[in-house]
Amino acid sequence: MKKQDVPLIPNVITHNINNGRKNKVNNTCTDSLISHNNTKGRKRNLSQLTKLLLLQETSHCPCIVSGLLLLKPNNSNNNNITELDNNFKEKFEQLLINKLISKNIRFRSLLLEKEKQFIDLKEKFDIKNHVHFIKIENSINNLNNFINKVQFSKFDENLPKWNVFVIEGLEDGIYLFWKIHHWIADGQSLAYTIMIGLTDNYNENSLQFHDFYRNLFEKRKEKAIFGQLDFIYGNCKEFLFQKLLNFKLFITIILLIMNLIFLLLKFLLFLISFLYLFFTDLIISILPEKETIFKPNNKERKITGQLQSSFLYSSLNKDYKNKYSLKDLKKISKITGATINELFLTLISMTCDKYRLQNKDYNENYNLDNNFSLKVGMGVNIREPPTEFNENVYLNLGNYVGIHFLNIPQNLNLNIQERILQIKNYSKFTKYFPQDLFHFYLLYFAGTFLPECLSSKLFQLGTKRVTFGGSNVFIPKVLNNLKILDYSIERAIGFIPLAEGLGINFMITSYNDQFGISVVVDKGVIGNVGDIIELLNESWEEMKSTFLKNY
């Protein structure tokens, strides 16, 4: 397989469909500027967590989330928008205004970082500053190069911080590349904003999605120790009502005693959870992560701010259509008893061991036979769904993410089964202790009550003690086969920003029975992101051949 060598800022020449002439892409998109002083809207304060998020942003670690959607015209192999529909540009812009801008204040608001406020531009908002129609020659590498050119470039300070690029000219179909500042949305809420807010046929599946989301949340709660205690309490209560139905006074007294006992048990479990998570984090913050070729240092591996991204992604062409099948991943999950997240971590573990072996000459003293583990800071969506279906609630989710600290083994002698078993053992406690909620509220209270310098240091403490960033955006099956302006959404993949102190992160996105994995690296740490993508592909093929050879 040929390596994907992705240059940082390639000189990609594109056709700008807006004006019909050949030119280089304008990264800042300053078609019309809006002066802060001319905006008469009411200034609103940012939340404490958003303020804390902005404190972490630097020139080499921009807080940008992005997503790539592949659209396929129905009953046509023509992927040139202007030939298919002369009015597509106007229709798409109007769709954004009606279904996104009018409903989500963040997308039409100007961020005032110094004042830590934002202003709703309302009628001053101009959609033409944010939608860009691009034509790229028929090559997936050219698409990757274009994404690298615009993905981490700075936003115009005088405009709301988001852009969408409509890209035509590729054999697969028409691509939408979304680039959004993290203050507007996290990866999961960005996915839901697009899938819920912009699609033609979402309403057909809205209630099923709402039910799925609630059931998923309830299952997570049941697995946690507090959920298991509630389950025991519910069963005891039901037993009393069935067996002692005629002794109402006695039942009342027993229930009162039971309530007191279970409240005490909940308090004790809360205390145990708090102490366990507090000391776990304390150990993580004190004990330094092992120095490897994935971790920046102040010598040969420095954070440079030269960011690259690439992705492992199914093409629609011929043999590649089901190359990264979610059904295959679920079959392996059933065979091994591992969750999708644990298989994702296994792929990262395998890829990193392969990369270490590939770069064994990097340091003569680097012992490849060592058996050790590296930490992954995995972002987890912790927002609770509304009690009743409400489209606007889903469209205004914002950032509501906690962190799980997970371990992956690094040992070249491990086979896949042993690797999966180790990862399952590492992650079993995260199912029972609400680590994500703990970190979320810890940062919330730190941002509220501590000085900015201290709360910022607390935020950075975790990222400095992990090697990888990770995220999993799962778009449920009930949202398969969605359409935007009658174009079918065939694929989806997301990208997350590098946190301060990290040189590499991974993100898995699943939609429409396919999955994709994106990788973002700093070139000062990982010279070529294409090497990681190639090894990820090898790891997936090895996993499939190990577990699915009889299917």
Side-chain angles (χ1 to χ4, degrees):
M1 181 178 178
K2 189 177 179 180
K3 294 184 179 181
Q4 302 180 39
D5 190 3
V6 184
L8 174 66
I9 302 292
N11 293 319
V12 179
I13 303 297
T14 64
H15 297 276
N16 190 325
I17 297 174
N18 292 326
N19 55 29
R21 66 178 183 271
K22 217 178 204 183
N23 62 352
K24 291 187 179 181
V25 175
N26 178 2
N27 292 341
T28 55
C29 308
T30 54
D31 296 334
S32 65
L33 299 181
I34 302 169
S35 169
H36 296 187
N37 297 325
N38 293 333
T39 54
K40 297 181 180 179
R42 179 172 64 87
K43 292 182 180 180
R44 308 178 189 216
N45 292 327
L46 297 172
S47 69
Q48 294 297 335
L49 286 173
T50 301
K51 291 177 187 177
L52 196 57
L53 180 71
L54 293 175
L55 283 174
Q56 313 312 311
E57 186 170 33
T58 63
S59 58
H60 54 267
C61 287
C63 292
I64 296 171
V65 292
S66 46
L68 186 67
L69 294 182
L70 172 58
L71 307 184
K72 194 70 178 173
N74 289 331
N75 305 317
S76 174
N77 292 320
N78 188 344
N79 295 325
N80 293 309
I81 303 168
T82 46
E83 294 178 14
L84 286 168
D85 186 351
N86 290 329
N87 299 317
F88 182 89
K89 178 178 180 290
E90 289 76 15
K91 288 179 183 177
F92 186 66
E93 289 178 349
Q94 198 60 47
L95 175 73
L96 293 178
I97 292 169
N98 294 341
K99 289 194 169 185
L100 181 63
I101 308 306
S102 64
K103 294 182 179 181
N104 194 318
I105 188 173
R106 293 178 182 87
F107 279 87
R108 61 175 189 264
S109 291
L110 189 65
L111 179 64
L112 310 177
E113 291 193 44
K114 291 182 180 178
E115 294 92 333
K116 297 170 185 171
Q117 294 176 317
F118 65 95
I119 299 175
D120 185 355
L121 296 179
K122 297 182 179 178
E123 69 277 359
K124 290 182 179 293
F125 176 84
D126 188 353
I127 191 67
K128 296 186 185 302
N129 290 321
H130 301 275
V131 182
H132 311 279
F133 289 76
I134 304 296
K135 189 171 184 179
I136 294 179
E137 294 180 6
N138 189 20
S139 164
I140 201 70
N141 282 334
N142 281 349
L143 172 65
N144 210 359
N145 291 343
F146 173 77
I147 289 173
N148 273 273
K149 183 180 177 71
V150 300
Q151 186 172 19
F152 300 111
S153 59
K154 289 184 178 180
F155 287 103
D156 191 313
E157 295 299 323
N158 298 296
L159 296 171
K161 295 193 172 190
W162 69 275
N163 288 301
V164 59
F165 299 88
V166 184
I167 303 166
E168 69 171 344
L170 294 159
E171 186 179 354
D172 276 358
I174 296 158
Y175 284 90
L176 301 182
F177 180 68
W178 296 81
K179 172 187 172 183
I180 296 178
H181 195 282
H182 217 321
W183 95 274
I184 294 176
D186 57 51
Q188 191 78 51
S189 60
L190 171 59
Y192 289 163
T193 294
I194 295 168
M195 297 299 186
I196 292 174
L198 296 181
T199 50
D200 308 336
N201 54 337
Y202 165 70
N203 286 334
E204 298 171 12
N205 305 311
S206 58
L207 292 178
Q208 294 99 309
F209 167 69
H210 177 68
D211 291 342
F212 170 86
Y213 193 19
R214 285 209 61 81
N215 290 337
L216 186 69
F217 189 84
E218 292 301 322
K219 284 179 181 177
R220 280 188 60 199
K221 281 174 61 177
E222 287 171 9
K223 287 181 180 178
I225 52 176
F226 296 105
Q228 293 184 7
L229 187 62
D230 286 337
F231 177 75
I232 294 169
Y233 174 74
N235 284 344
C236 291
K237 193 174 178 180
E238 185 179 348
F239 174 81
L240 282 174
F241 276 106
Q242 287 179 350
K243 300 297 182 182
L244 303 172
L245 190 60
N246 296 323
F247 302 94
K248 293 183 179 179
L249 179 61
F250 183 66
I251 288 178
T252 303
I253 295 170
I254 293 294
L255 284 177
L256 183 61
I257 295 169
M258 276 179 55
N259 284 337
L260 290 172
I261 292 171
F262 276 94
L263 280 173
L264 180 62
L265 285 174
K266 276 197 170 183
F267 174 76
L268 289 173
L269 284 174
F270 174 82
L271 189 61
I272 292 168
S273 295
F274 175 82
L275 291 173
Y276 169 80
L277 294 169
F278 178 80
F279 284 109
T280 300
D281 278 16
L282 190 63
I283 291 168
I284 288 173
S285 63
I286 293 173
L287 296 177
E289 186 82 330
K290 184 177 179 64
E291 183 177 338
T292 63
I293 53 178
F294 307 108
K295 189 73 175 170
N297 60 20
N298 295 322
K299 300 174 185 176
E300 65 276 6
R301 298 185 307 282
K302 295 181 180 180
I303 293 293
T304 62
Q306 295 179 318
L307 304 182
Q308 281 187 318
S309 69
S310 191
F311 48 90
L312 193 70
Y313 191 61
S314 281
S315 167
L316 290 180
N317 299 326
K318 299 177 183 177
D319 299 335
Y320 294 99
K321 186 171 183 180
N322 296 308
K323 189 173 179 66
Y324 307 114
S325 166
L326 187 61
K327 290 180 180 178
D328 287 345
L329 200 59
K330 287 180 176 179
K331 284 178 187 175
I332 296 171
S333 174
K334 189 174 181 180
I335 292 167
T336 61
T339 64
I340 298 296
N341 259 351
E342 287 165 348
L343 293 179
F344 174 43
L345 291 172
T346 303
L347 288 173
I348 296 174
S349 173
M350 294 168 68
T351 298
C352 292
D353 260 339
K354 291 175 186 290
Y355 187 81
R356 289 197 303 130
L357 184 62
Q358 191 179 82
N359 293 271
K360 60 187 176 185
D361 296 330
Y362 131 86
N363 189 332
E364 292 180 1
N365 298 320
Y366 195 61
N367 189 348
L368 292 173
D369 295 327
N370 280 352
N371 183 13
F372 59 94
S373 64
L374 297 175
K375 293 185 184 67
V376 180
M378 181 77 75
V380 180
N381 185 319
I382 59 174
R383 59 178 58 83
E384 185 170 355
T387 52
E388 295 181 5
F389 174 75
N390 184 335
E391 184 182 73
N392 287 328
V393 172
Y394 287 108
L395 288 176
N396 289 279
L397 294 173
N399 287 281
Y400 205 74
V401 177
I403 301 293
H404 274 162
F405 291 116
L406 302 164
N407 289 303
I408 60 170
Q410 288 292 271
N411 185 342
L412 293 167
N413 298 316
L414 286 176
N415 61 39
I416 296 182
Q417 292 90 338
E418 292 168 336
R419 203 176 290 267
I420 291 174
L421 184 60
Q422 281 199 26
I423 287 173
K424 286 171 67 177
N425 289 333
Y426 286 148
S427 62
K428 62 184 177 184
F429 283 110
T430 62
K431 299 173 184 176
Y432 302 109
F433 291 97
Q435 194 181 44
D436 45 6
L437 285 168
F438 175 80
H439 293 131
F440 177 84
Y441 286 110
L442 181 67
L443 292 174
Y444 176 82
F445 287 116
T448 304
F449 299 110
L450 294 180
E452 284 185 355
C453 58
L454 289 179
S455 56
S456 179
K457 292 290 183 184
L458 184 65
F459 189 93
Q460 293 172 6
L461 204 57
T463 58
K464 288 182 178 178
R465 293 294 183 260
V466 301
T467 298
F468 311 104
S471 185
N472 178 357
V473 171
F474 174 69
I475 302 169
K477 194 170 183 177
V478 294
L479 294 184
N480 280 4
N481 305 313
L482 292 174
K483 296 180 180 180
I484 293 178
L485 295 177
D486 207 34
Y487 287 70
S488 299
I489 303 176
E490 297 289 339
R491 302 282 187 273
I493 192 164
F495 303 81
I496 54 173
L498 278 176
E500 179 73 26
L502 297 186
I504 180 171
N505 67 31
F506 299 84
M507 180 176 184
I508 184 170
T509 311
S510 53
Y511 169 70
N512 212 17
D513 294 327
Q514 301 288 316
F515 73 89
I517 299 177
S518 67
V519 183
V520 177
V521 304
D522 188 295
K523 283 194 74 173
V525 181
I526 304 293
N528 177 27
V529 69
D531 293 342
I532 299 291
I533 291 295
E534 181 184 359
L535 295 174
L536 260 174
N537 181 67
E538 284 183 19
S539 299
W540 171 238
E541 292 298 328
E542 188 178 334
M543 185 179 281
K544 279 200 301 183
S545 64
T546 301
F547 295 106
L548 300 181
K549 55 188 175 185
N550 295 325
Y551 279 84

